[in-house]
Amino acid sequence: MQEPGSEEEFHSLGFYRMTTRDLTMAVIFFLQTTVGLLGNFSVFYYYLFLYLTGYKLRCTDLILKYLTVANLLVIFSKGIPQTMASFGLTHFLDDFGCKLVFFVHRVGRDVAIGTTCLLTVFQVIMISPGDSRWAQLKIKAPKYVGTSNIFCWVLNIVRSIVVPFHLTDKRNNINVTKKIDQDYCYAISYDKIAESFYVPLLLSHDGFCLGLMFWASSSMVFILHSHKQQVQYIRRNNLPPRSSPESRATRRILVLACFYLSLWMLSSICHICLSVFNNSSLWLRNTSTLLTTCFPTLSPYILMRHDPRVSTLYSAWIRKQNPLNLS
């Protein structure tokens, strides 16, 4: 008979005793999840407001809306469960819940990298000079933005079907050769031969998208540099240089792509260490999770920071709130 509040009863409910370091990490995960949800819902509301007020949306706005949905999927499937686990609740998911959560996370994560890749490639096509080999694509590309996004979602949903077969809940005492603790679920490996085919498949997808993203980012830097050289006479005449909307949009996408590439490299290092070391440290798992949810958390703020329409709408709202302020 267990006494009320005993250690056995405490663990049977799925909790564990938290140290100061555990509490610190739990607060960090909570803040990161909260900031990410606020940022992505703000972007979602922003695009909804533009649509309802009759603003003409750009082709890139459709891609960014899909990216926002993917970010929310990652936060809901990774940030929130990890926050709950960090506060001591580790057995809140059954076997089906584990499989569903990791499936949604995989889809959201892969769609995020796919849409970011699509965004950079589309932008480099649209800002390419009229006499370049991309001139014909500039006319056709906007027509295929929606189709490309749908294809990206369908492709990554199909690719992620295998993920649930490698997850189980923490109550399941299954006997496997390799079982990796994910704090609130177990990642399991049944067959090393099947895993040797699946891992290269994942890496080839990431490598292809990141390669296109790196090429598109380099091309955007070159085009922006060429454009800057062509308008040097503005500075020579002591006139303030004014960047075009295309240049500002390109810089926004370039910052977003560079941010993703940097985080991906750091996250890959953590994932390699987690794969090599079976019983990896809690610090390494927490660092990997923080990096995984860092892009979905901060990318909406990067988008809003570099979108001039946000400041325009904010200024209009301020003037509406202060109609007597003539300044």
Side-chain angles (χ1 to χ4, degrees), residues 106 109-110 113 155-156 158-163 193-209 264:
R106 173 58 64 179
R109 183 255 183 200
D110 288 350
I113 185 175
L155 175 64
N156 287 295
V158 173
R159 289 180 60 255
S160 302
I161 290 178
V162 70
V163 171
I193 298 178
E195 186 177 358
S196 64
F197 285 100
Y198 179 64
V199 172
L201 179 63
L202 293 178
L203 295 178
S204 62
H205 170 265
D206 288 3
F208 177 76
C209 291
W264 186 89

Side-chain angles (χ1 to χ4, degrees), residues 73-182:
L73 288 181
V74 174
I75 293 174
F76 278 122
S77 61
K78 191 68 174 181
I80 292 179
Q82 188 64 48
T83 301
M84 295 174 64
S86 299
F87 276 106
L89 184 61
T90 57
H91 294 166
F92 59 92
L93 290 175
D94 58 6
D95 187 64
F96 176 78
C98 282
K99 296 179 186 301
L100 178 62
V101 163
F102 276 83
F103 172 77
V104 172
H105 171 253
R106 173 58 64 179
V107 172
R109 183 255 183 200
D110 288 350
V111 168
I113 185 175
T115 50
T116 306
C117 173
L118 178 63
L119 183 67
T120 55
V121 172
F122 177 81
Q123 187 65 19
V124 77
I125 292 175
M126 297 307 296
I127 67 171
S128 59
D131 56 349
S132 67
R133 62 180 180 271
W134 304 108
Q136 294 296 326
L137 286 177
K138 292 179 68 172
I139 302 175
K140 300 179 180 180
K143 302 178 182 179
Y144 297 101
V145 170
T147 305
S148 300
N149 277 289
I150 294 174
F151 175 76
C152 178
W153 277 89
V154 173
L155 175 64
N156 287 295
I157 289 174
V158 173
R159 289 180 60 255
S160 302
I161 290 178
V162 70
V163 171
F165 296 100
H166 295 273
L167 275 304
T168 187
D169 65 306
K170 303 202 75 171
R171 300 184 186 90
N172 193 346
N173 297 320
I174 190 171
N175 186 17
V176 293
T177 57
K178 187 176 182 181
K179 185 164 60 174
I180 301 175
D181 187 6
Q182 300 287 344

